[in-house]
Amino acid sequence: MIRSAAVVRVIEGLHTRPATSLAQLAKAYQCAIELESPAGKANMKSPVKLMLLGVKEGDEVYINADGPDERDAVTRLLAYLMDPASGVGEAEEAAPAAPAGQAAPGAAIASTAPAAQPDNVLQGVAGSKGVAVGTPYLVFPEPLVPERQVICEDEIDAELERFRGVLEQFVAEANARAQQPSTSEQTRSILRALVDVAMDEEFVGAIIRGIEGQGDAAAVVLRVGQALSEAFESLDDPYMRARSEDIRGVARKLAAQLLGVPLPDLGAIASPCVIVAADLSAWDFSSLALEHVQGLVCTGGSATSHVAIMARTYGIPAVLGVGQRQALLAGASRIVVDGDQGRAIVNPDPAQEAAAEAAIAAARATAEALQRYRDVVPLTSDGREIHVCANLGALSEIPLALRAGAMGVGLFRTELLFMQHRELPSEDMQAHAYTQLAQAFFPRQVIVRTLDVGGDKPIAGLSFPVEENPFLGWRGVRMCLDRPEVFKPQLRALLRAAGVGNLRVMIPMISDIEEVRSVKALIAQCRQELVEQGIAHGEFDLGIMIETPAAVLQADALAAEVAFFSIGTNDLTQYVMATDRANAQVARLYRIEHPAVMKAVHLACRAARAAGIPVGICGEAAANLELIPKFIHMGVTELSMSPASILAAKQRIHSL
Ligand code: PEP
Ligand code: MG
C-alpha cells in the first residue's frame, strides 16, 4: 500500500474532463486506488465519484494505492494531478464567424439596453456571444412518466437485459457521433464524458441494484439519475453544479428509450430557427442539425453548462437560465437571442428587431471584412511581407489554423505529445506526428519547438526533482541536454520529418551559448546515426527562442550560431520582470508593454537584423494589435499566435 500527497494543479480542479481522464488512467492499473481530499474519499476509477469529491485547484489530496502495480499508478496519477496542463482543451474554442442570421461576438444591441427592461425581455446569462433573430423551435418535452415502479421477481433478468441493451445502444450512438468528421474536438470530448457518465460504476451499479430489487428499469434510471444529479447540484463549484445536467440528460435519454417514448428529433430540423428549450442537454446539442440553428435560449442552465461550451465552439449565440418563462416562450413567434447581454427578447417590437438586425449586419460586415484577409499575405507600407502564423499544441488544431488563414506554424508546442501518454512517445510516433504537421502546411514553414517541460510540468516516464523554483530550474533545453535518451528520439524524429522540406526547429529556454552548441552537436550525432542506419531524413534550420534576459544580452553571439530567433514574450516578460507569469498577486508587473520588456525585444531584434537572420514573436504579445506596429518597426517578420487572432492581426498589418 502506498500513500502519496499532492497539491492539485489541474486548472479549475477535477471537473468533468480531468476527472474522466484521471479515472481513465486509473482504470489501466490493477491496484485499488483511492483519492482522499478534505471532503472525503473516492474510488479513482469512477469519474462521477471523483467529480463529486469537488476537488479544486490548490487542494491538498492523497492518493492511496494498493496492489501489484501501485508504484507506477501513483507516479502516473500524481503527474496528472500536478500538471496544470491536465484537462487542457476545457477552454472554449475560438468561435468561428457567425452564419447568416447571427451577429458575431461583440456586437451588442446597444439601442435595446434600457435601464428597466420591457416585459418581453428575459434576462438570463450569456452562454455564447453574438446576436441572432429568428423563429423559435420549441423543445419542451413532456416529463417522462414510467408506467410502473415495481416489477415481478421473474421479470428481473429480462429487465436487466433491457437496461443493458439500451445502455449499449446509447454508448454506440455516442461513439458514432464522436467519430463523425464534422464533430469538433470539443464536442467529441464532451460525448466521451457523457459515455463515461453512462458507464460509471456509481450510476450503472445503482441502477442494476435497483432493478435487482424489483424496480422497473425506466423508473430506476430516472430515480438514480435524479439522485446523482441532485448530488452534483449541491456542490459549491458552479462548473460542477452544471454537470448535473449531463447526468439528467443521459438518464432521460436512457429512460425514454426504455419507455419507448420518442424524444424530439433535433437532427431533423430542416429550416433556420432559434432553439428554445427548457434544458438542452449536451446529448441534445450533439444531435442538433447545427447548420439550421441560429441561436439558443434555455430556461435552465448556466454559462458553464456543456451546452454553453458547445454553443461557443460552434459560434452559436446562446442565452441560458432565463427562468421558468415557458408560457411566454411558448407564445413566441419570433425571438431575439442577445448572447452578448445574456438576454432573449420574445416577439420583439419593430425597434427591437431593427436593433438586432443592425447588430447582426454590423457583426457580419466585420467578420466578412476579416475573411478577406484569409489568403492575404500582409505587406507593410514599405513592402515587407509579414508572416502571420499559428501557435499549435496538437495535430487536431491544424484545420482550425488552416481555416483561419495561417501562413505557417510559428510554434508547435510538443509538450502535449509527451503528456498525453503513459510513457514517453516513441521516435516513430513522433516522426509520424511531425511529418503529418509538416505535410498539412506544406509548402508553408512549420516551426517545431523541442520539448519544453520542467519541474512545473511533469511528464510520464521522466522523474523530476522537487525544486524550490521550478521556473528557474531543470526545464526546457536544460533537462533535454541532461537526458539524451529523451532528447535524441525527438531530434531524430524531427530529422526524419524534415524530409518533407518545410520544417524548422527551435530550442526553448536558451540562456547560454554552450547549450546551443551542445544541441547542434547532438543533432549532428543523430544525423550521423540515421545515415549509418540508412533511415531517410532531411535537414532543418535550427533557431532558438529568446526567453531569458541572458539570451537577450548575448543575442549578438547567439545570432551567429543559429538560423532564426523566435521571441517568447510570455517567458521573456516573466524573467525580465522577475514576475511569475502565473501568480495573480504580482500580475500588475507582468506586462509585455513594460519598457524593460520592450527594450529586451528591441535588443534581440537588433542583433538578428545585424546578423541577417529572421526574427519572429510567438508569445501572446504577437496578437496584440497595439504592439504589432512596434514589433514590425523593430524588424520582426513573423508573428505567431492562436488561430483565432490571425485574421485581425493580418488586417492590422495591412493597415500599416
Ligand atoms: C513564450 O514563453 O512566450 C512561449 C511562446 O512559450 P510558452 O508560452 O509555451 O512558455
Ligand atoms: Mg516559453
Side-chain angles (χ1 to χ4, degrees):
M1 155 102 180
I2 309 188
R3 180 175 168 78
S4 221
V7 172
V8 175
R9 307 270 316 264
V10 179
I11 293 167
E12 292 183 13
L14 298 186
H15 49 78
T16 321
R17 268 165 284 166
T20 311
S21 311
L22 197 58
Q24 214 63 276
L25 289 177
K27 280 183 203 161
Y29 298 95
Q30 281 175 34
C31 57
I33 320 170
E34 187 180 70
L35 187 71
E36 192 177 324
S37 83
K41 295 178 181 173
N43 173 1
M44 279 188 92
K45 297 182 182 179
S46 158
V48 167
K49 284 198 170 170
L50 278 180
M51 285 186 250
L52 280 172
L53 264 190
V55 173
K56 299 200 178 56
E57 183 182 352
D59 277 1
E60 222 174 294
V61 296
Y62 290 92
I63 297 181
N64 303 320
D66 194 5
D69 48 2
E70 57 191 26
R71 193 158 298 281
D72 285 350
V74 169
T75 310
R76 180 65 191 102
L77 296 169
L78 278 180
Y80 188 93
L81 283 174
M82 290 162 72
D83 180 2
S86 301
V88 281
E90 188 69 66
E92 63 202 77
E93 286 179 19
Q102 299 170 7
I109 316 171
S111 64
T112 58
Q117 295 189 329
D119 288 347
N120 66 342
V121 176
L122 304 183
Q123 190 63 48
V125 292
S128 170
K129 285 178 174 295
V131 177
V133 56
T135 310
Y137 181 99
L138 300 177
V139 187
F140 290 107
E142 293 298 314
L144 292 171
V145 185
E147 286 144 13
R148 53 185 187 168
Q149 292 292 328
V150 285
I151 54 173
C152 302
E153 207 178 338
D154 59 5
E155 288 176 296
I156 293 176
D157 286 345
E159 200 66 350
L160 281 173
E161 198 61 25
R162 233 160 53 82
F163 167 66
R164 290 203 179 98
V166 160
L167 185 64
E168 253 172 49
Q169 199 181 330
F170 172 82
V171 170
E173 214 179 310
N175 286 334
R177 266 182 210 186
Q179 273 155 22
Q180 275 164 18
S182 57
T183 303
S184 77
E185 198 48 44
Q186 192 92 17
T187 304
R188 215 165 270 162
S189 72
I190 290 174
L191 282 166
R192 273 189 222 117
L194 293 184
V195 167
D196 279 313
V197 164
M199 309 260 287
D200 192 273
E201 278 174 32
E202 184 75 5
F203 183 62
V204 176
I207 294 170
I208 290 178
R209 284 192 298 279
I211 299 174
E212 284 170 349
Q214 284 180 248
D216 170 78
V220 172
V221 166
L222 287 171
R223 201 167 53 236
V224 170
Q226 184 65 18
L228 214 50
S229 76
E230 277 168 12
F232 271 86
E233 250 157 29
S234 66
L235 295 174
D236 286 345
D237 182 341
Y239 188 92
M240 298 304 288
R241 273 206 306 275
R243 299 289 68 77
S244 69
E245 293 156 29
D246 293 344
I247 293 172
R248 264 203 309 273
V250 170
R252 238 188 105 67
K253 167 84 183 145
L254 296 175
Q257 201 85 6
L258 285 163
L259 291 169
V261 173
L263 287 178
D265 184 3
L266 300 175
I269 293 174
S271 54
C273 62
V274 171
I275 303 286
V276 177
D279 205 3
L280 208 63
S281 69
W283 175 261
D284 296 330
F285 191 98
S286 72
S287 30
L288 280 172
L290 287 176
E291 66 278 22
H292 298 306
V293 179
Q294 295 168 297
L296 191 64
V297 176
C298 287
T299 56
S302 64
T304 44
S305 306
H306 265 153
V307 63
I309 294 175
M310 291 162 105
R312 290 198 285 269
T313 301
Y314 294 97
I316 295 174
V319 174
L320 305 181
V322 297
Q324 295 311 321
R325 306 296 294 276
Q326 203 160 323
L328 180 64
L329 288 164
S333 56
R334 197 131 177 92
I335 191 159
V336 172
V337 187
D338 183 350
D340 297 323
Q341 310 276 336
R343 61 196 190 169
I345 306 175
V346 178
N347 295 331
D349 63 30
Q352 288 169 324
E353 175 133 3
E357 293 289 3
I360 292 168
R364 193 186 302 138
T366 309
E368 275 169 16
L370 279 182
Q371 275 306 317
R372 284 207 297 276
Y373 291 91
R374 221 188 94 123
D375 300 315
V376 161
V377 174
L379 298 176
T380 59
S381 53
D382 58 358
R384 274 183 299 148
E385 193 176 291
I386 305 295
H387 284 234
V388 184
C389 299
N391 287 353
L392 302 182
L395 297 183
S396 58
E397 296 165 5
I398 292 173
L400 198 66
L402 289 172
R403 275 203 304 276
M407 297 163 70
V409 176
L411 165 63
F412 182 76
R413 293 180 165 100
T414 53
E415 292 74 65
L416 264 187
L417 271 184
F418 282 73
M419 287 174 173
Q420 275 165 347
H421 299 92
R422 290 188 50 209
E423 55 220 8
L424 291 171
S426 68
E427 177 186 317
D428 281 350
M429 185 273 207
Q430 289 188 67
H432 182 65
Y434 305 143
T435 302
Q436 269 186 297
L437 175 71
Q439 282 170 342
F441 282 88
F442 189 84
R444 289 162 283 195
Q445 297 277 325
V446 165
I447 303 180
V448 175
R449 175 175 75 185
T450 58
L451 186 59
D452 187 19
V453 287
D456 63 316
K457 277 192 216 164
I459 54 173
L462 260 178
S463 50
F464 285 86
V466 175
E467 297 179 304
E468 287 273 320
N469 287 304
F471 277 119
L472 301 181
W474 200 54
R475 60 171 296 197
V477 70
R478 304 169 181 188
M479 184 280 289
C480 284
L481 283 171
D482 286 348
R483 286 293 166 88
E485 78 281 11
V486 176
F487 200 19
K488 277 180 66 184
Q490 181 170 46
L491 294 174
R492 284 171 54 106
L494 287 165
L495 283 164
R496 286 167 58 181
V500 178
N502 58 339
L503 195 79
R504 294 193 283 167
V505 173
M506 69 182 174
I507 316 294
M509 267 303 281
I510 291 289
S511 45
D512 188 277
I513 201 158
E514 280 312 316
E515 292 166 335
V516 181
R517 293 184 180 141
S518 303
V519 173
K520 283 162 71 172
L522 211 54
I523 293 170
Q525 196 183 322
C526 291
R527 187 186 297 115
Q528 183 59 31
E529 285 172 14
L530 289 171
V531 170
E532 283 163 14
Q533 292 160 0
I535 298 175
H537 62 282
E539 289 300 327
F540 53 69
D541 277 347
L542 183 71
I544 56 167
M545 290 192 72
I546 302 286
E547 297 182 286
T548 66
V552 171
L553 297 172
Q554 305 167 87
D556 294 325
L558 288 167
E561 294 281 339
V562 294
F564 65 93
F565 282 170
S566 180
I567 305 176
T569 46
N570 304 341
D571 274 319
L572 186 61
T573 307
Q574 107 164 323
Y575 293 126
V576 167
M577 299 304 294
T579 302
D580 182 341
R581 65 197 251 189
N583 184 340
Q585 199 124 26
V586 288
R588 69 183 183 286
L589 279 173
Y590 184 84
R591 285 192 292 122
I592 156 77
E593 68 279 10
H594 190 283
V597 185
M598 291 303 278
K599 176 86 179 270
V601 173
H602 168 68
L603 290 175
C605 290
R606 197 176 67 184
R609 273 204 325 268
I613 62 168
V615 56
I617 294 192
C618 65
E620 294 300 312
N624 183 319
L625 299 180
E626 306 223 321
L627 295 180
I628 283 176
K630 295 186 183 160
F631 293 145
I632 291 176
H633 185 69
M634 290 180 198
V636 163
T637 52
E638 180 175 297
L639 294 163
S640 194
M641 59 198 65
S642 80
S645 305
I646 288 177
L647 289 172
K650 280 187 169 183
Q651 184 193 37
R652 182 78 188 95
I653 298 162
H654 220 64
S655 71
L656 291 177

